[in-house]
Amino acid sequence: MKYSAPRGTVDILPDASGKWEKLERILRTIASNYHVKEMRTPIFEHTELFNRAVGDTTDVVTKEMYTFEDKKGRSITLRPEGTAGIARAYVENKMYALPEKLTKVFYMGPMFRYERPQSGRQRQFHQFGVEMLGVESPYVDVECMMMAITVVKALGLENVTLHINSLGDEESRDAYRKALQDHFRPVLSDLCEDCNARFEKNPLRILDCKVDAKHEAMKTAPKTIDYLSESAKAHFDKVCALLDDLEVDYVIDTNLVRGLDYYSHTVFEIISDDPKLGAGATVGGGGRYNGLVEEIGGPATPGVGFAFGLERLMIALNDNEDDDEGIDVYIMPLGEEARDLGMQISAVLRANGFSVDMDYAGRGFKGQFKSADRFKATYSLLLGEDEVKGEYVNIRDNKTKEQEQVPFEDIVSYLEKGLGL
Ligand code: HAM
């Protein structure tokens, strides 16, 4: 029996993990610059949380969730996104009662959606997400967008555009809902079964439909922006004015509604034109969700956030730099006695902070030198019979190819000096 990874999952092999670490390091640094702390929530939650938060007419909930019963018959779902879990934890841990009104957190980790895999789309994928809860202010929306822009800039992504729109507050959404129903009612019999169900429950979701995407009525559908209440319009105008002041390029995209139910007011996406991702791929998206915390049983708490797909960032990154820094020392023993000694030396060197590897395959020097090369070792430490007897090692500087005899007791100070420590 041969096993393969489940469809839509990917093994990140040691050769690629350096690039992942680099990406994660950059994201962590940006988070720290924005004074955003990490929060880790479970990878699975009660299914009901996602039904409630993400919405039971969304594609994510109806078609894409990995849901199963645990041994006690509880319905559990592998998280398809991070916002619901953060909101749940925020309520459960009474973070709304913290002295600081605005809570800013980030998360990074795997998410699961049963989707058709393609470039930049997997069933297990990774997100870097940020949530800012507790303050309803357009300044916080813009802080989120600035942070998302900082990410794409830091990664040197080109051909990306910030798209923004507003879904408005409850009053705007009610008016818009009615307008959508009036618009789609005459053509309802042309639309798919799902759209017919959405028509009553949540007409906004008709706009996400992949089956009816090309229907004429989709193109002429009313725009959220025309139904904003006065205060929702003022919020959106302030967001735009702040972006203008900060000289951020953006496009008001009146078709942008996002595929998750919790959004209100500002929504945004960062869209890439990188052909490797397929034209118009979304690398990240987010928005405000003022009703979410209350929806899942907490006190009324505004929130705004976004998430990037790390696989998509990786594809767009186009980073051909070799990030492998190599090791300080490769220990090359010949014979068992030398290997025993090599083991002792490696323990001492590692305890002194050097990165060290050693040959365990029992090869001759020729094969070991090849490894030293592949490992980009700054120094090779040769240990043959003579060296063992004479209680010294031959240290070879792999760049200059110069070799020097160094007594055992001087190895640490020799390397410290050589590596400039
Ligand atoms: P989302 O737009 O569903 O938003 O996902 C955010 C990003 O995750 C997408 O732009 C995309 O880069 C990546 N992504 C989504 N599905 C896949 C997939 N199957 N394979 C690879 N990448 C994928 C959210 O998840 C919201 N929770 C974002 C948010 C946070 N809104 C407010 N706070």
Side-chain angles (χ1 to χ4, degrees):
M1 172 84 186
K2 272 194 182 159
Y3 296 103
S4 53
R7 188 166 145 76
T9 68
V10 169
D11 299 312
I12 297 170
L13 301 177
D15 267 356
S17 60
K19 284 203 167 61
W20 278 87
E21 272 174 33
K22 183 175 167 189
L23 173 63
E24 288 163 7
R25 227 178 6 253
I26 293 171
L27 295 171
R28 282 177 187 282
T29 305
I30 294 170
S32 151
N33 289 347
Y34 277 81
H35 192 215
V36 175
K37 295 222 168 102
E38 186 174 10
M39 182 152 158
R40 299 189 190 191
T41 61
I43 278 171
F44 58 84
E45 298 273 356
H46 293 293
T47 304
E48 184 49 30
L49 173 72
F50 299 115
N51 293 349
R52 252 299 159 89
V54 175
D56 53 14
T57 49
T58 58
D59 277 357
V60 170
V61 167
T62 54
K63 299 182 183 151
E64 296 169 4
M65 294 210 300
Y66 279 91
T67 298
F68 58 94
E69 272 189 9
D70 73 5
K71 293 197 189 302
K72 284 266 168 71
R74 304 176 194 97
S75 183
I76 296 291
T77 293
L78 301 184
R79 63 182 186 190
E81 61 97 53
T83 313
I86 294 286
R88 195 263 315 135
Y90 178 86
V91 175
E92 189 167 350
N93 294 285
K94 299 193 173 57
M95 292 170 74
Y96 47 79
L98 291 173
E100 203 54 54
K101 217 167 154 30
L102 182 62
T103 299
K104 306 201 289 187
V105 298
F106 81 89
Y107 48 91
M108 195 146 47
M111 307 287 161
F112 306 85
R113 294 186 194 178
Y114 192 83
E115 289 193 88
R116 184 198 285 268
Q118 61 182 52
S119 170
R121 197 200 288 157
Q122 294 171 193
R123 291 183 175 169
Q124 176 177 337
F125 62 100
H126 298 80
Q127 276 187 353
F128 167 74
V130 170
E131 311 296 348
M132 301 193 181
L133 292 126
V135 173
E136 182 180 1
S137 158
Y139 290 89
V140 188
D141 302 27
V142 173
E143 166 126 320
C144 271
M145 289 189 234
M146 289 305 288
M147 194 170 166
I149 289 166
T150 306
V151 168
V152 294
K153 280 209 177 132
L155 299 174
L157 297 200
E158 283 163 11
N159 310 326
V160 289
T161 321
L162 172 66
H163 287 229
I164 68 170
N165 192 21
S166 174
L167 305 181
D169 50 16
E170 223 162 287
E171 187 190 331
S172 330
R173 280 156 60 107
D174 282 346
Y176 183 59
R177 194 187 150 94
K178 279 202 191 78
L180 276 178
Q181 283 176 327
D182 290 345
H183 176 76
F184 284 114
R185 192 171 292 111
V187 294
L188 206 50
S189 57
D190 295 350
L191 302 183
C192 73
E193 209 177 296
D194 283 351
C195 280
N196 274 270
R198 291 168 183 139
F199 180 82
E200 287 305 334
K201 282 184 91 174
N202 191 357
L204 182 69
R205 295 277 73 94
I206 295 179
L207 302 175
D208 310 330
C209 184
K210 289 174 190 113
V211 181
D212 294 322
K214 295 214 160 62
H215 194 286
E216 193 52 34
M218 289 289 196
K219 288 176 217 149
T220 53
K223 313 284 185 209
T224 56
I225 210 143
D226 296 326
Y227 294 86
L228 297 185
S229 67
E230 227 166 272
S231 68
K233 188 169 180 315
H235 184 102
F236 189 56
D237 287 346
K238 183 68 188 178
V239 166
C240 295
L242 288 170
L243 289 173
D244 291 337
D245 286 351
L246 290 160
E247 296 184 353
V248 172
D249 287 333
Y250 62 90
V251 174
I252 296 181
D253 178 351
T254 54
N255 292 322
L256 181 65
V257 291
R258 307 271 303 136
L260 313 166
D261 272 353
Y262 46 64
Y263 291 115
S264 55
H265 287 284
T266 320
V267 285
F268 63 97
E269 283 187 351
I270 295 198
I271 295 181
S272 161
D273 269 336
D274 192 318
K276 287 195 288 316
L277 278 166
T282 305
V283 284
R288 187 159 270 292
Y289 45 84
N290 288 348
L292 174 60
V293 172
E294 201 173 6
E295 180 73 31
I296 60 166
T301 307
V304 56
F306 66 88
F308 277 104
L310 297 194
E311 282 77 7
R312 293 185 193 183
L313 289 181
M314 281 292 210
I315 293 169
L317 198 57
N318 202 11
D319 176 2
N320 294 319
E321 253 175 62
D322 183 1
D323 303 314
D324 184 357
E325 285 173 3
I327 53 173
D328 296 327
V329 182
Y330 186 56
I331 300 182
M332 300 175 35
L334 278 187
E336 188 164 348
E337 220 179 319
R339 242 184 328 271
D340 290 351
L341 251 172
M343 196 100 210
Q344 304 266 343
I345 294 172
S346 67
V348 171
L349 293 185
R350 286 178 181 142
N352 277 278
F354 299 104
S355 54
V356 180
D357 204 350
M358 169 172 145
D359 177 75
Y360 298 113
R363 296 168 301 169
F365 273 152
K366 198 170 160 214
Q368 298 197 39
F369 269 124
K370 282 195 180 141
S371 296
D373 251 11
R374 272 194 294 269
F375 297 164
K376 299 196 183 77
T378 309
Y379 290 106
S380 289
L381 210 145
L382 286 71
L383 257 177
E385 235 174 76
D386 292 348
E387 283 88 345
V388 173
K389 267 198 210 112
E391 301 197 346
Y392 65 87
V393 292
N394 257 304
I395 298 186
R396 181 182 193 258
D397 180 325
N398 286 327
K399 218 187 236 150
T400 63
K401 313 233 182 311
E402 274 166 26
Q403 211 161 288
E404 233 177 290
Q405 288 188 0
V406 180
F408 286 168
E409 63 273 19
D410 296 339
I411 299 176
V412 169
S413 57
Y414 181 91
L415 292 172
E416 272 174 355
K417 210 165 139 214
L419 291 161
L421 303 175

